[in-house]
Amino acid sequence: MKTTAFITGATSGIGKATAEIFAKNKIRLILCGRRADRLEALKQTLGEITEVTTLQFDVSKRSEVENAIASLPDNFKNIDILINNAGNAHGMSSIQEGDIDDWDAMLDINVKGLLYVSKAIFPQMIARNSGFIVNIGSIAGKEVYPNGNVYCASKHAVNALNKAMRIDLNKYNIRVAAIHPGAVETEFSKVRFKGDIEKSDAVYKGYKPLQAEDIADIIHFVVTRPYHVNIEDLVVYSTAQASPTIMNKN
Ligand code: NDP
Ligand code: 8X3
């Protein structure tokens, strides 16, 4: 039987690259995001090589999450792999100057959104005594850096929830893994800096950052190990990056 994967944040960056490599490897796809036009475009292109269905919802809206997942057609209901990837940083400033709307967005999307989606998918994995949940954390979930405050807190929460899922779902034979990338060149910085292209481009200048495909390749490796193997936690930097703040730029 074919493997089915559910990917949140599939419309861009790491999620989109993961959808592409999964499609090439004939994994059936449930692709999620808010931007309907991008979901439709992915359905058209990737639908030529594998079975694809899409769900448009905001992970931070609990009823949207529940309704969307409940609406999956029967042939997509058994999810083997959940990639909890949707998320972003919103703003970057000292904690005393932080925008409370940005804090709400990061905690609602990166933490509560991941929980809402997972909660809706746990039951069928538990019932089948099988499944794999991959949580996309960040180096911001391992260390706190200046002006990263609430984004770092949200990713520390993802790190904690990854461990919690591994412990609590252990008796159900469910694999759980987290991947924590350093800087990856995606739309991430455009979102963080609210469309300020100069600021977002500067994040990736002067060195070779990770590409979305690098992380997608690692995700694919992690989910294709034999079932008794669970790579639980991976931190991935570009060669030029030694820590959240130490970068060998030219
Ligand atoms: P992108 O901005 O390129 O992609 C973010 C994805 O998340 C988009 O598909 C977006 O889809 C989706 N998303 C954002 N908010 C919501 C929401 N409220 N509801 C549903 N979907 C949402 O960034 P990346 O690919 O870089 O980020 C993916 C993950 O990787 C995030 O969790 C991020 O924190 C993490 N990460 C990124 C790093 C980087 O340097 N780029 C490094 C470490 C971790 P849409 O807008 O269509 O809803
Ligand atoms: C994204 C990487 O360093 O901007 O999570 O936090 S960083």
Side-chain angles (χ1 to χ4, degrees):
M1 221 170 55
K2 276 196 175 170
T3 303
T4 301
F6 185 108
I7 305 176
T8 67
T11 55
S12 168
I14 294 168
K16 179 167 180 276
T18 303
E20 287 164 351
I21 193 168
F22 278 15
K24 279 187 200 131
N25 287 279
K26 305 294 175 208
I27 295 175
R28 301 164 80 240
L29 295 172
I30 302 158
L31 303 180
C32 312
R34 290 165 302 179
R35 286 170 285 184
D37 53 337
R38 292 200 184 191
L39 288 173
E40 188 50 37
L42 282 167
K43 193 174 178 180
Q44 293 303 322
T45 50
L46 302 185
E48 288 179 9
I49 45 180
T50 190
E51 283 168 83
V52 180
T53 193
T54 60
L55 291 178
Q56 186 203 4
F57 63 91
D58 182 331
V59 295
S60 69
K61 306 254 163 63
R62 187 172 151 188
S63 57
E64 281 189 28
V65 174
E66 290 167 353
N67 293 337
I69 294 173
S71 78
L72 276 170
D74 281 347
N75 58 333
F76 279 94
K77 276 199 195 305
N78 286 343
I79 295 158
D80 301 292
I81 301 169
L82 163 61
I83 310 289
N84 272 325
N85 165 73
N88 276 115
H90 292 268
M92 192 175 187
S93 62
S94 64
I95 197 155
Q96 64 276 20
E97 286 163 347
D99 179 323
I100 295 176
D101 289 338
D102 285 341
W103 295 355
D104 282 344
M106 289 186 278
L107 296 171
D108 287 351
I109 297 166
N110 302 355
V111 184
K112 289 165 71 182
L114 178 146
L115 283 169
Y116 295 156
V117 171
S118 303
K119 173 81 172 160
I121 292 175
F122 292 149
Q124 50 90 15
M125 286 188 173
I126 288 171
R128 287 184 297 124
N129 209 38
S130 169
F132 202 155
I133 300 169
V134 179
N135 296 305
I136 305 303
S138 168
I139 52 163
K142 297 286 185 179
E143 294 178 49
V144 178
Y145 53 82
N147 301 324
N149 44 70
V150 177
Y151 178 65
C152 294
S154 76
K155 288 298 182 176
H156 273 67
V158 173
N159 192 32
L161 291 170
N162 184 67
K163 291 178 202 286
M165 286 183 195
R166 227 166 108 64
I167 294 166
D168 293 348
L169 299 174
N170 171 263
K171 60 176 172 285
Y172 302 112
N173 199 35
I174 294 173
R175 296 195 280 180
V176 181
I179 295 166
H180 303 277
V184 189
E185 190 172 13
T186 63
E187 294 175 17
F188 177 85
S189 292
K190 274 189 205 121
V191 176
R192 172 173 250 174
F193 297 115
K194 301 175 192 298
D196 184 330
I197 300 298
E198 211 174 308
K199 270 192 185 170
S200 55
D201 283 356
V203 174
Y204 309 112
K205 280 225 173 87
Y207 70 106
K208 172 80 181 161
L210 291 167
Q211 301 298 299
E213 291 73 20
D214 299 323
I215 301 303
D217 186 41
I218 290 165
I219 294 171
H220 183 250
F221 177 81
V222 167
V223 302
T224 50
R225 294 313 84 210
Y227 202 87
H228 67 285
V229 178
N230 190 149
I231 299 171
E232 195 249 352
D233 198 71
L234 280 178
V235 177
V236 186
Y237 278 113
S238 68
T239 306
Q241 189 173 15
S243 80
T245 52
I246 299 173
M247 195 81 86
N248 181 18
K249 288 196 180 189
N250 50 44

